[in-house]
Amino acid sequence: MPNFSSFNPNPDNLRTLIFGKDSTDTAQALATDTAGHIVNIMLDGTISNLMGVTITAGTLSTINSVMGATITAGTITSLLGATITAGTITSVLGTTITAGTINSVLGATITAGTINSVLGATITAGTLDAVNSVLGATITAGTITSVLGTTITAGTINSVLGATITAGTLDAVNSVLGATITAGTITSVLGTTITAGTINSVLGATITAGTLDAVNSVLGATITAGTITSVLGTTITAGTINSVLGATITAGTLDAVNSVLGATITAGTITSVLGTTITAGTINSVLGATITAGTLDAVNSVLGATITAGTITSVLGTTITAGTINSVLGATITAGTLDAVNSVLGATITAGTITSVLGTTITAGTINSVLGATITAGTITSVLGATITAGTINSVLGATITAGTITSVLGTTITAGTINSVLGATITAGTLSSVTSISQKSFQETSSLNIVTADAFTALPTVTTSVFGTYSFFVYNRGPGANTADARVEISANGTNWYADVDTVTGVAVGSVDVLVPQRFLKYTRLAYRSSATGLPTTIDAYFNGQGT
């Protein structure tokens, strides 16, 4: 390129241009990408590689991958998760393939191209021959043996929800919902009285000789002149019901009904009601009780009573053998006689004899002691510190008793039954003739807290000070702020008219205390308080302390 510098003077930008000719014999420059690969093809040339693929003598000889396929030595070894060995697919997304045959798929076992098991079910020669459970049903050796609490033996249902089924017949039932069944006969249904199979009354309506002779209305039914004219959507014309809740009634006959609440009706006959089996119109079992030929002949339990072969054998801890009660709550009964009771509440019974009752000792039927009292040979000899000799009390606590007469009690002298002195006081012929002193050393305190002062004196509750020898008032100014309080003691003889006896000398400052002691004595005393300055209140606590003489 001798003239290159004439149009590109920078020697750093020198480059070589290679040209070829196209089909029209026009010169065309070859172009490459940044990695040096040719991006256009000139005619009549040879391509030795293209986008990482090696080309030898015009033949594509080396390629490693196409999209998601891996190619090793010209052979595809994997494709989108499938493993390929020696040109054969050996696994696809969890499926195992051996020698071109699928052996397992997502938990299913496949042997020689045949599925042998799926999710725990066994398959033999293409037949599903072992399933152990489907939802709540148990399957044994290909046969369903139980479904949701129903027992199935050899393909026959033997029990449903406690009802016994024999040879496909429901043969034991005691009650249906609110109906009582005795010896196979319904005796009551939800408040209805049934005597010898005849209903005598229903919810206040009287039934005589099987005829309902006195009723005006039944819930949503209208009764006019003794005739029902409508019942909750039921059409009644001239005393004849024509339809009931979708059931058709023709000429007084119910001719199309399939079910009533929980009862199944087949061809006009009730075949089951809420778990009760009915065969050919006969109830065979109800809630675990067996009914044979309309007779209730097998009941196992009623509330807390156990029934064996039709006989009650136990009731709430009572043992019954051959219809005879043998024990009740630990007491033994022999031949119908109560012959062994060990305890009754707090009493201990040994060999049929009470030996102790709540702390009382009983020996051979005789009480020996009761709550601290000693009893000898049936006679009380002492009670809580009192001495009793030959049935006579000689002393009680601090009292001396001589020949049945109290002669002294806690320092009191008693002569011939008469008190002569008590704690230094002389008593003559029953009259208190001299008393040296009577002490009233009793202390009393009252308090009034968090009291807000006003501009005028306000009195606290009155104290009767006639019984006190010494007493005073304590005043404390709580604040807050800096306002002071005044206090004074007022006294009265009648509790109505008051005299100011003692005042504070200066106001009681915030955080300070003053004690006011009355100078004069009258029966009633009280404390009065106020703000020292008008319009400047504060809060005080006041206490009264008094001591008896």
Side-chain angles (χ1 to χ4, degrees):
M1 300 295 294
N3 296 322
F4 181 80
S5 61
S6 65
F7 60 85
N8 193 350
N10 187 350
D12 292 333
N13 291 329
L14 291 178
R15 63 178 180 174
T16 301
L17 297 177
I18 300 172
F19 286 83
K21 289 185 179 181
D22 60 17
S23 61
T24 63
D25 206 37
T26 303
Q28 299 290 343
L30 294 178
T32 64
D33 60 13
T34 56
H37 300 126
I38 296 173
V39 296
N40 62 351
I41 301 172
M42 68 179 180
L43 297 176
D44 302 325
T46 300
I47 298 172
S48 59
N49 71 53
L50 179 64
M51 304 292 289
V53 176
T54 303
I55 302 172
T56 304
T59 300
L60 190 68
S61 61
T62 304
I63 185 167
N64 293 324
S65 66
V66 176
M67 300 298 285
T70 303
I71 302 173
T72 306
T75 300
I76 298 175
T77 57
S78 69
L79 179 63
L80 292 173
T83 303
I84 302 173
T85 304
T88 301
I89 297 175
T90 56
S91 69
V92 177
L93 293 173
T95 300
T96 304
I97 302 173
T98 304
T101 301
I102 297 174
N103 293 323
S104 67
V105 177
L106 293 173
T109 303
I110 302 173
T111 304
T114 301
I115 298 175
N116 294 321
S117 66
V118 177
L119 294 173
T122 304
I123 301 172
T124 303
T127 301
L128 189 67
D129 63 356
V131 178
N132 293 325
S133 66
V134 176
L135 291 178
T138 302
I139 301 174
T140 304
T143 301
I144 298 175
T145 55
S146 69
V147 177
L148 294 173
T150 300
T151 304
I152 302 173
T153 304
T156 300
I157 298 175
N158 294 323
S159 67
V160 177
L161 294 173
T164 304
I165 301 174
T166 304
T169 300
L170 190 68
D171 61 359
V173 65
N174 291 325
S175 65
V176 176
L177 290 179
T180 303
I181 302 174
T182 305
T185 301
I186 298 175
T187 55
S188 69
V189 177
L190 294 173
T192 300
T193 304
I194 302 174
T195 305
T198 300
I199 299 175
N200 295 321
S201 66
V202 177
L203 294 173
T206 304
I207 300 174
T208 304
T211 301
L212 189 67
D213 61 359
V215 66
N216 294 321
S217 67
V218 177
L219 292 178
T222 304
I223 301 173
T224 305
T227 301
I228 298 175
T229 56
S230 69
V231 177
L232 293 173
T234 300
T235 305
I236 302 173
T237 305
T240 301
I241 298 174
N242 295 322
S243 67
V244 177
L245 293 173
T248 304
I249 301 173
T250 304
T253 301
L254 188 67
D255 60 359
V257 66
N258 293 324
S259 65
V260 177
L261 289 178
T264 303
I265 301 174
T266 305
T269 302
I270 296 175
T271 55
S272 69
V273 177
L274 294 171
T276 300
T277 303
I278 302 173
T279 304
T282 302
I283 298 174
N284 294 321
S285 70
V286 177
L287 293 173
T290 303
I291 301 174
T292 304
T295 301
L296 188 68
D297 63 358
V299 177
N300 293 326
S301 66
V302 177
L303 290 177
T306 303
I307 302 173
T308 305
T311 302
I312 297 176
T313 55
S314 69
V315 177
L316 294 173
T318 300
T319 304
I320 303 173
T321 304
T324 302
I325 298 175
N326 294 323
S327 67
V328 177
L329 293 172
T332 304
I333 301 173
T334 304
T337 302
L338 188 67
D339 63 357
V341 178
N342 294 326
S343 65
V344 176
L345 292 177
T348 303
I349 302 173
T350 305
T353 301
I354 297 175
T355 55
S356 69
V357 177
L358 294 172
T360 300
T361 304
I362 302 173
T363 305
T366 301
I367 298 174
N368 294 324
S369 66
V370 177
L371 294 173
T374 304
I375 301 174
T376 305
T379 302
I380 298 175
T381 55
S382 67
V383 177
L384 293 173
T387 304
I388 302 173
T389 305
T392 301
I393 297 175
N394 295 324
S395 66
V396 177
L397 293 176
T400 303
I401 302 174
T402 305
T405 301
I406 298 175
T407 56
S408 68
V409 177
L410 294 172
T412 300
T413 304
I414 302 174
T415 304
T418 301
I419 298 175
N420 295 320
S421 65
V422 177
L423 293 172
T426 303
I427 300 173
T428 305
T431 302
L432 188 65
S433 57
S434 67
V435 178
T436 304
S437 65
I438 298 175
S439 175
Q440 291 184 348
K441 291 292 184 181
S442 58
F443 173 78
Q444 181 176 332
E445 178 182 81
T446 58
S447 62
S448 299
L449 307 178
N450 297 313
I451 306 167
V452 179
T453 61
D455 293 339
F457 273 112
T458 304
L460 292 176
T462 301
V463 180
T464 302
T465 52
S466 60
V467 295
F468 295 103
T470 304
Y471 49 94
S472 58
F473 291 91
F474 173 95
V475 180
Y476 169 65
N477 188 348
R478 282 178 164 273
N483 299 338
T484 59
D486 294 335
R488 75 182 180 194
V489 174
E490 298 177 345
I491 58 176
S492 174
N494 57 13
T496 302
N497 306 107
W498 296 91
Y499 174 79
D501 184 46
V502 177
D503 287 82
T504 52
V505 177
T506 60
V508 182
V510 173
S512 298
V513 171
D514 200 352
V515 177
L516 286 75
V517 179
Q519 295 180 354
R520 300 168 182 81
F521 173 80
L522 284 176
K523 182 177 181 181
Y524 302 108
T525 307
R526 71 184 184 185
L527 179 74
Y529 60 91
R530 71 175 181 184
S531 303
S532 296
T534 302
L536 299 175
T538 187
T539 302
I540 66 170
D541 291 342
Y543 292 83
F544 169 80
N545 284 182
Q547 179 69 55
T549 57

